[in-house]
Amino acid sequence: IGAAVREAGRPGDGLLYLPGQHRTLTAATPEDTRLLTDLALAQDPVSSNTLAGVELPARAIAARMLDFDRIVAVRAGGVNAPTNAQEKAKTSTLRRYFHEYGTTHVHGARITV
């Protein structure tokens, strides 16, 4: 999954995990996402002592998304995203301001630019 994210993204692209706890999908190889900006992350997994880190408030996530022309979204297949404020902000901002360029399916995940 990490390799597919690396191939889909360009240096400086935004990165979103839908939902945020699926940040673990690329955690095994952090170099695959190093050149992308995680748009929702307030505190990384190590410093927050969690598996997926701590995300920003919904408004901050939406505002950060609008600073980017391209976003790589990572979704786990067959999993419905929680409906908390952060996830709603991600999906509504993507729908309103971005257009899908392409999607890759790999190992049960969807990588969409």
Side-chain angles (χ1 to χ4, degrees):
I1 295 171
V5 171
R6 183 182 68 243
E7 290 174 19
R10 298 178 186 162
D13 282 354
L15 176 63
L16 281 179
Y17 293 90
L18 300 159
Q21 70 253 28
H22 288 296
R23 195 169 275 108
T24 57
L25 292 172
T26 61
T29 52
E31 63 274 4
D32 287 331
T33 60
R34 190 156 307 189
L35 299 177
L36 307 178
T37 301
D38 190 326
L39 300 176
L41 195 62
Q43 195 174 13
D44 68 45
V46 173
S47 63
S48 67
N49 200 31
T50 63
L51 288 175
V54 175
E55 293 199 336
L56 293 163
R59 284 187 178 175
I61 294 169
R64 285 191 80 191
M65 290 172 68
L66 295 177
D67 288 337
F68 287 76
D69 294 325
R70 281 176 43 102
I71 294 176
V72 178
V74 181
R75 296 175 177 92
V79 176
N80 291 327
T83 56
N84 64 35
Q86 285 100 335
E87 300 308 323
K88 286 180 183 178
K90 291 175 199 177
T91 56
S92 66
T93 303
L94 284 172
R95 282 188 191 121
R96 184 170 181 187
Y97 296 102
F98 293 88
H99 299 282
E100 183 177 334
Y101 175 75
T103 297
T104 302
H105 296 267
V106 59
H107 300 294
R110 290 184 299 156
I111 316 306
T112 302
V113 177

